Amino acid sequence: MTVPPLYGLMQDRPLQISAMLQHAARFNQPREIVSRLPNQVFRYTFKQAESRVRRLAKGLEKLGVRAGDRVASLAWNTHRHFELFYAAPGMGAVLHTLNPRLWEEQLVYIINHAEDRVICFDPDLAPLVERFAPQTPSVKTFIVLCERAEMPANGHNWLCFEDILADDDFAWPEFDERTAAILCYTSGTTGMPKGVLCSHRSTVLHALYAQSAVAFGLTPLDCVLLVVPMFHAYGWSLPYVCAIAGAKLALPGAAATSANIVDMIHDEGVTLATGVPTVWTGVFDNLDETERNLGTLKRALIGGSAMPPSMSRRLREQYGVEPVTGWGMTELSPLGSFTGLTPEIDALPGEAREAALHHRAGRVLFPLEVKIVMSSGDAAPHDGRTAGDVWVRGPCVAAGYFRGEGGEMLDQQGWFPTGDVGSIDEHGSIAITDRVKDLIKSGGEWISSADIEKAATDCEGVAQAAAIAVKHPHWQERPLLLVVPARGAQPSKSAVLEAIRGKLAKWQMPDDVVFVEALPLTATGKIDKKVLRARYESHLMAAAGAA
Amino acid sequence: MTVPPLYGLMQDRPLQISAMLQHAARFNQPREIVSRLPNQVFRYTFKQAESRVRRLAKGLEKLGVRAGDRVASLAWNTHRHFELFYAAPGMGAVLHTLNPRLWEEQLVYIINHAEDRVICFDPDLAPLVERFAPQTPSVKTFIVLCERAEMPANGHNWLCFEDILADDDFAWPEFDERTAAILCYTSGTTGMPKGVLCSHRSTVLHALYAQSAVAFGLTPLDCVLLVVPMFHAYGWSLPYVCAIAGAKLALPGAAATSANIVDMIHDEGVTLATGVPTVWTGVFDNLDETERNLGTLKRALIGGSAMPPSMSRRLREQYGVEPVTGWGMTELSPLGSFTGLTPEIDALPGEAREAALHHRAGRVLFPLEVKIVMSSGDAAPHDGRTAGDVWVRGPCVAAGYFRGEGGEMLDQQGWFPTGDVGSIDEHGSIAITDRVKDLIKSGGEWISSADIEKAATDCEGVAQAAAIAVKHPHWQERPLLLVVPARGAQPSKSAVLEAIRGKLAKWQMPDDVVFVEALPLTATGKIDKKVLRARYESHLMAAAGAA
């Protein structure tokens, strides 16, 4: 006998992005958003922001923007960009965040691929827009994110953002929570970037779990400095999390220099600041130069790539700031794990505690499902050692790329292979040991480039390190280590090798060390190994040949 | 031109209760659940629990339980009851939590109304089940929550819980997230209790927002002592929140005496304990008797009715425990607000800070929408003063009662009038000043019974107080104050009136004070004003007649 299922008698209300801002406007009226502009520090309350966002939504509607239309932003972290984060999805359109640091041909490709109808951009990016505009015919409306007095004078039919704000009698529409909300392209290892299209449902669910005490865990006592660009992986969702948590939000604008970051931490009472490791390297330099401390800062969230142990130590020991990290990607909305103490980790002696807490990428967050797939195809035990391909599943995970690029993304059971390699321990803490494509295949054995880099960045006099696979006549591939010395330091090859020797097995040691002034970075600030691999591909072959 | 909406490309995975326990079993393997049984303290890990829960689900399936069937529990807080919280909804059936303290005729009514098919009960409740079983023909299977050796010997065809556990090869089914999950009846002010039927979607969403840092905010460093019964408003959702937070869970069993509560706090390292105010009154008595402190306890969550100021002061000043409170009801899943600091409240001087933080019911939690409806029908400003009827809306709010009891619950826009009276301030902090039905209408003016009670319980020598409306020949209704003196205290009528005089307007003062040994309680431990109103209805009429 089949009994029909019984449905719950709960209100059938959709999860919508506009509700998060309305919540802040109603129940957190005095809380501020602070936005650093070229010539002033602008500040207003969430309540004032919500009114402007409704005026913006109505303004976009008057310009002909309709449900499903893509409204692109090409902008730094300011209050106007924040307003777009709510206005475009709130009215049923799709916010498409563009990365101004991409190559121009990639930008053109992405805008055309997304068929953006409107583009909103910061005035300093006007020359870039002027160059690519002739190649992006879908864009009908250009809006400059500035006051009228700041409008670039160049004879185009560009609109001023402040001029398009309409009356504030706009009411947020209700619609299906699976409606598209934000489109964010992610740079693949090969080919052109691919678009991840979040829904209202996934964005609100993600904000809810990102706000849990085992992740961002913000309260109205917090002030978040968003150094990570809002165009990068949905700004790590913080424009949304701050609204539902009631936290203050500080936006550093176009000039997110180390000095400005440290200034804002002091001026605004920042408690959590976010950035990729290179941001923190710059902040350290500024603190050294100016002999300042980190003021009210309690936590530094370091993401995008692994946090060097020397960085976490310095934050904690010198500045009393708790380093936290996580693992995520655009396809995960983006958060997958977050640093978190357990009683077992807390009870470990000094170095072991440090390693368990800061050298792994944190505990997996509900409702994300993660499994480690071994080469046998079986799931690995959660023993903290057995590594394999990291697969994920969940309501905030992408099911496919925009317009089907890259083909079918998921397996039959709905799992997405992330391309990361890692392990999970019994506390649910994940360690990302490498990207599948960055592994070095020496003979029949895999060597993790990340392990080599971790050992190297912990060495005195080393600022940054990158290990890459280069061709080898006998072993197919062997590791080459590239090192950027710390300011004023002149480490020798033998000193670097000596320092990392105890931390790696003999066969994992790099075959050579090359000192460079800087490492090439991708548009999102990660080390660009594609470029390095191409540049050093024959480094050992040459050496072998010469020998 | 109408543009069709664009849908997000995220995985279409349902929110399901079983996923919360699976998360804990996978990513928090060592964390424990501790259950105080009559003759032992039982402990196991979440991983072990999940295996037993699958065996239970398979066992129920073998007994013929199908999707949508109601599986009732009549039980105290133990690990077996915890297992039912996951097994029944996890397999697609509905857990129906029964309150053993209800009148027998109400229990019979509820079981028949819900058409429970299975009933699982603690052995000490066997005599109760024996009495009502002949009147509940829908119940086909009786399961006693005990070991075989503990089975009541009475010749019935009752099954032993441990015997029905089957193999652990059961796989959690996937189904629509709107499927019914838990049924919990709430005692109305009139008539029989009405059923609130939660869905998987509402239960998981509620657990996510209850776990935010502005609500329970638990981490793996926490141990929660669940004194609030699991049959009361879904156990305040903590059996679910602990799983996704990775917190330890301590369950005090049938004998949740004050001594056992204090013992468990010390033995298990409890950091958060939950209970109604009377629980804490009992705990204070035990601490006085045994000269103990509250050990590792960091927060005491006091809910169900308003926290007396003397209680919050004593917790903080004498024991270093932070009192927290909230506002909720079964119809809200149940959490609506939670105590939370803001910078503005934190900056207030001593008494004002105390009042802002502890004499209101905390800040409204996203995604719940709340509005205060004035008698004009308009929404009240959030000024912290203007009171009105509290209306709510949201994805975790009931849309109607089971089988349509009580008729249409919502207005045209989907709002539910809660029956509470309150105000909201600019920080989103709600104050519940009364129940609509408990207001006292003196002449044309409303007097809040809660205001009188708050003033009275803060008075030296007063343990409990209840203000009720009684008939008055001239004013229609006037307040009568009933007082339970503190142990050993003998406050006089004039002393009580003198103590509260400065805190109330003259016309709000009670017309008389009556000292009683105890106040009648409802099955959920709240003061039963229905009984008091009936008992004292003519108290002032008699006095007026005698005068």
Side-chain angles (χ1 to χ4, degrees), chain A residues 308-310 449-467 481-484 491 495-497 499-501 503-504 510 513:
Chain A
S310 56
S449 65
D451 284 352
I452 301 174
E453 289 158 9
K454 200 185 289 175
T457 49
D458 217 17
C459 163
E460 180 95 24
V462 171
Q464 284 180 288
L481 178 62
L482 301 151
V483 163
V484 181
V496 170
L497 289 172
I500 65 179
R501 199 176 304 277
K503 296 170 181 168
L504 297 170
V513 180

Side-chain angles (χ1 to χ4, degrees), chain A residues 6-255:
Chain A
L6 189 66
Y7 287 95
L9 293 166
M10 305 307 282
Q11 296 189 3
D12 189 18
R13 297 199 64 76
L15 302 174
Q16 284 188 243
I17 286 175
S18 56
M20 298 194 277
L21 186 58
Q22 281 183 286
H23 177 83
R26 287 173 182 159
F27 302 117
N28 214 336
Q29 298 183 3
R31 199 68 48 240
E32 281 183 334
I33 298 160
V34 182
S35 170
R36 191 186 182 99
L37 303 178
N39 46 9
Q40 64 160 321
V41 175
F42 176 85
R43 59 182 71 234
Y44 62 173
T45 63
F46 273 92
K47 189 173 162 69
Q48 291 166 326
E50 199 263 346
S51 164
R52 268 177 62 96
V53 170
R54 273 187 287 109
R55 293 174 58 204
L56 173 56
K58 185 162 181 179
L60 290 171
E61 203 176 60
K62 282 186 164 179
L63 290 172
V65 175
R66 295 286 172 266
D69 282 356
R70 269 75 73 201
V71 175
S73 66
L74 185 73
W76 312 108
N77 292 7
T78 70
H79 68 290
R80 294 190 182 97
H81 202 179
F82 174 89
E83 288 162 7
L84 285 166
F85 261 65
Y86 284 98
M91 66 185 290
V94 176
L95 175 70
H96 174 199
T97 52
L98 291 167
N99 180 346
R101 298 195 186 110
L102 286 181
W103 301 113
E104 232 170 283
E105 65 173 81
Q106 287 194 322
L107 271 177
V108 168
Y109 167 82
I110 288 175
I111 293 168
N112 289 330
H113 190 268
E115 292 187 83
D116 294 329
R117 182 193 172 109
V118 177
I119 184 163
C120 307
F121 54 98
D122 274 329
D124 63 310
L125 299 168
L128 173 62
V129 175
E130 218 158 15
R131 284 197 304 274
F132 71 62
Q135 306 164 63
T136 57
S138 66
V139 182
K140 304 299 178 205
T141 310
F142 295 82
I143 299 171
V144 192
L145 299 166
C146 64
E147 304 282 345
R148 185 178 286 188
E150 297 161 334
M151 283 293 286
N154 54 13
H156 292 298
N157 259 344
W158 291 351
L159 300 175
C160 169
F161 183 85
E162 296 295 325
D163 284 345
I164 68 158
L165 300 182
D167 304 333
D168 86 342
D169 59 356
F170 181 85
W172 293 114
E174 270 181 36
F175 43 74
D176 188 329
E177 68 187 28
R178 294 167 306 159
T179 302
I182 322 183
L183 179 61
C184 191
Y185 280 70
T186 177
S187 301
T189 48
T190 52
M192 281 296 187
K194 295 195 281 290
V196 177
L197 185 60
C198 274
S199 65
H200 283 257
R201 172 183 167 92
S202 69
T203 305
V204 174
L205 277 175
H206 182 275
L208 280 169
Y209 81 74
Q211 160 55 5
S212 81
V214 292
F216 290 126
L218 300 170
T219 79
L221 298 181
D222 281 300
C223 173
V224 175
L225 178 62
L226 199 64
V227 184
V228 61
M230 287 164 72
F231 55 74
H232 181 204
Y234 320 103
W236 296 356
S237 85
L238 283 159
Y240 302 125
V241 176
C242 285
I244 64 173
K248 180 176 169 181
L249 181 60
L251 302 168

Side-chain angles (χ1 to χ4, degrees), chain A residues 236-489:
Chain A
W236 296 356
S237 85
L238 283 159
Y240 302 125
V241 176
C242 285
I244 64 173
K248 180 176 169 181
L249 181 60
L251 302 168
T257 62
S258 304
N260 286 343
I261 289 169
V262 178
D263 283 351
M264 274 195 113
I265 289 172
H266 284 271
D267 295 347
E268 304 302 336
V270 170
T271 59
L272 172 71
T274 66
V276 293
T278 45
V279 164
W280 293 100
T281 310
V283 165
F284 287 160
D285 288 346
N286 178 271
L287 295 174
D288 285 342
E289 278 163 24
T290 60
E291 298 186 358
R292 290 194 285 185
N293 61 21
L294 285 171
T296 49
L297 194 67
K298 286 187 182 152
R299 293 184 295 166
L301 176 59
I302 298 163
S305 51
M307 161 165 55
S310 56
M311 186 171 282
S312 63
R313 263 202 307 277
R314 184 166 174 189
L315 279 167
R316 212 175 44 252
E317 289 168 13
Q318 188 169 351
Y319 301 111
V321 170
E322 185 63 20
V324 286
T325 189
W327 159 75
M329 49 182 64
T330 307
E331 291 88 339
L332 309 190
S333 296
L335 214 54
S337 68
F338 206 90
T339 301
L341 260 187
T342 68
E344 295 78 12
I345 294 173
D346 205 25
L348 292 172
E351 290 240 338
R353 183 180 185 281
E354 164 87 13
L357 195 58
H358 296 303
H359 302 177
R360 300 183 73 87
R363 301 184 57 245
V364 172
L365 298 167
F366 178 84
L368 185 70
E369 292 182 86
V370 182
K371 67 176 177 182
I372 304 294
V373 179
M374 300 186 292
S375 49
S376 65
D378 294 333
H382 290 186
D383 59 8
R385 292 184 313 275
T386 311
D389 293 359
V390 180
W391 293 47
V392 296
R393 196 166 68 167
C396 305
V397 178
Y401 293 106
F402 192 47
R403 299 199 192 284
E405 296 297 335
E408 187 58 60
M409 224 174 108
L410 312 180
D411 80 350
Q412 293 273 345
Q413 283 73 43
W415 290 92
F416 163 54
T418 61
D420 278 340
V421 177
S423 66
I424 297 179
D425 69 15
E426 59 172 351
H427 309 295
S429 189
I430 191 165
I432 301 301
T433 46
D434 223 327
R435 290 288 296 169
V436 171
K437 65 184 165 36
D438 289 340
L439 288 173
I440 299 150
K441 188 150 198 177
S442 170
E445 300 287 339
W446 291 104
I447 299 173
S448 159
S449 65
D451 284 352
I452 301 174
E453 289 158 9
K454 200 185 289 175
T457 49
D458 217 17
C459 163
E460 180 95 24
V462 171
Q464 284 180 288
I468 54 166
V470 296
K471 285 187 190 165
H472 190 277
H474 179 63
W475 299 108
Q476 282 181 294
E477 291 181 3
R478 285 295 299 161
L480 172 69
L481 178 62
L482 301 151
V483 163
V484 181
R487 288 199 314 164

Side-chain angles (χ1 to χ4, degrees), chain B residues 307-345:
Chain B
M307 161 164 55
S310 55
M311 186 170 281
S312 64
R313 263 202 307 277
R314 186 166 173 189
L315 279 166
R316 212 175 43 253
E317 290 168 12
Q318 190 169 350
Y319 301 110
V321 171
E322 185 62 22
V324 285
T325 188
W327 159 75
M329 51 181 64
T330 309
E331 291 88 339
L332 309 191
S333 295
L335 214 54
S337 68
F338 206 90
T339 301
L341 260 187
T342 67
E344 295 79 12
I345 293 172

Side-chain angles (χ1 to χ4, degrees), chain B residues 434-488:
Chain B
D434 222 326
R435 290 289 295 170
V436 172
K437 64 184 165 37
D438 289 339
L439 288 173
I440 299 150
K441 187 149 198 178
S442 169
E445 300 287 339
W446 292 103
I447 299 173
S448 158
S449 64
D451 284 352
I452 300 174
E453 288 157 11
K454 199 185 291 174
T457 49
D458 218 17
C459 163
E460 179 96 24
V462 172
Q464 283 181 292
I468 55 166
V470 297
K471 283 188 190 168
H472 189 278
H474 179 64
W475 300 107
Q476 283 181 291
E477 290 181 2
R478 285 295 299 161
L480 172 69
L481 178 63
L482 300 150
V483 164
V484 180
R487 287 196 318 163

